[in-house]
Structure formats: C-alpha cells, structure tokens
Amino acid sequence: MLCPVNKYRSMTVWQRSHELVVCALKETDRAYHPRSRSLFDQLRRAAISVECNLVEGYALGTPPLFRRHLRIAIGSAAETESLVRTAEEMEYLPAESARKMAALLDEILALLFSLMKRTAPSGRT
C-alpha cells in the first residue's frame, strides 16, 4: 500500500496540502508586515507540517506509522485553520486569501479524517 515512496503525489490530500503550502507562502510573502511576522511564521510552519507529515508517514511504510503521522497532520491543519482566521481578523491577510486557504483546509481536514477511517485497524476508527 505505501510503496514506492513517490506514489504519495497521487493522493488528493497531498495535492491539496501542497497547494495550501504554496498558497500560504505566496500570500504571507505578499501581505508581509513587521507586525504579522510571528503569526505568519507560525502559519507557514503549520501549513508545511501538514504536507510533510503526510509524506513522512507515507514513506515510513507501515500503517501504524502512517496513521500516527495522519493524526499529526490533522493537528497541524487545525492549527493552520486557527492561524488563518486570526490573520484575517487582524487584517494581516486579505479576506480573499484567507477564504482560499480556509476552503483548502476544509477539504484537507475532510480528506485526512476519511483517510484515518480507511486505514484504521478492523474494529477501530
């Protein structure tokens, strides 16, 4: 199921996560202001963590390790969602940028939860 390693690119959740990273990097670069620095730094790290945990868990090649990294990716996606909301409310990010990232995060979280269910050992969710 989990090999060869580069097959993760075919997963929709990875594709959306990669799109999120690129969007977060571009939008935070575009909207950068000294006041937004710490928030944007954390937002970027959290978004990157979603994608990286998917890839790392996939590459480790065992269902238990993959599920562990999926849980971490879910936490990072939730963190990113919170930071995007704060950045929009503080008017650090334009509303359109925040909406785009929020829509991606909704899709990513749904896909992650679905993948968790599909990879759960029998009798557990």
Side-chain angles (χ1 to χ4, degrees), residues 103-122:
L104 279 168
L105 284 157
D106 285 346
E107 184 178 3
I108 290 165
L109 282 163
L111 289 165
L112 287 169
F113 281 114
S114 174
L115 195 51
M116 280 292 291
K117 283 186 177 189
R118 287 197 320 259
T119 61
S122 10

Side-chain angles (χ1 to χ4, degrees), residues 31-41 86-93:
Y32 181 80
H33 186 279
R35 291 183 324 235
S36 66
R37 181 175 178 206
S38 61
L39 181 68
F40 279 3
D41 286 348
T86 301
E88 181 183 19
E89 289 173 3
M90 293 299 299
E91 298 179 356
Y92 293 163
L93 273 180

Side-chain angles (χ1 to χ4, degrees), residues 9-84:
R9 292 184 189 122
S10 67
M11 296 177 5
T12 303
V13 68
W14 176 82
Q15 294 166 2
R16 295 304 173 273
S17 297
H18 184 72
E19 188 178 344
L20 173 69
V21 169
V22 171
C23 181
L25 294 173
K26 284 181 179 179
E27 295 303 326
T28 56
D29 277 349
R30 221 174 276 155
Y32 181 80
H33 186 279
R35 291 183 324 235
S36 66
R37 181 175 178 206
S38 61
L39 181 68
F40 279 3
D41 286 348
Q42 188 64 27
L43 190 155
R44 292 161 70 110
R45 281 193 302 275
I48 291 166
S49 178
V50 176
E51 179 181 4
C52 289
N53 273 290
L54 283 168
V55 174
E56 185 177 354
Y58 190 92
L60 290 173
T62 69
L65 289 173
F66 186 48
R67 282 190 304 276
R68 178 178 185 273
H69 283 79
L70 286 175
R71 284 191 297 275
I72 295 168
I74 288 168
S76 294
E79 178 183 2
T80 306
E81 185 178 55
S82 174
L83 293 165
V84 166

